[in-house]
Amino acid sequence: SSDVCSSDLIFLERKRAAALQDPAWIARQKSKVEAGIAAVERELGGKAYLHGDAMTLGDIACACALLWLEFRMPEFAWRRG
């Protein structure tokens, strides 16, 4: 989900001088990331793949986004299981 990629915006905002950072903006971006993760969780349900019985580019794209999120901002801890 593109919302998961909002994590890059948060990462860059945190690189700015503390006095220039906007906590409300960061909170809005975090909400977008959390909504993206929730959307993937809802779509998957108990299934192994997002659509159908085999891995698709959608599964790979989501995996890449989530793994990047885990690398860049581990505080999201999307692996709850």
Side-chain angles (χ1 to χ4, degrees), residues 9-76:
L9 299 174
I10 298 167
F11 181 82
L12 292 173
E13 178 72 4
R14 289 180 176 168
K15 291 235 174 243
R16 295 173 50 171
L20 298 175
Q21 292 180 23
D22 183 349
W25 183 87
I26 291 173
R28 284 192 306 275
Q29 298 309 313
K30 281 184 172 184
S31 294
K32 291 177 185 180
V33 173
E34 290 164 353
I37 293 168
V40 171
E41 288 175 336
R42 277 192 309 276
E43 184 65 35
L44 268 175
K47 303 180 298 186
Y49 303 106
L50 290 169
H51 298 287
D53 297 334
M55 186 178 297
T56 66
L57 288 177
D59 296 292
I60 294 167
C62 284
C64 289
L66 289 168
L67 290 170
W68 181 249
L69 176 64
E70 182 175 61
F71 170 73
R72 194 74 124 154
M73 302 186 73
E75 69 263 25
F76 278 100

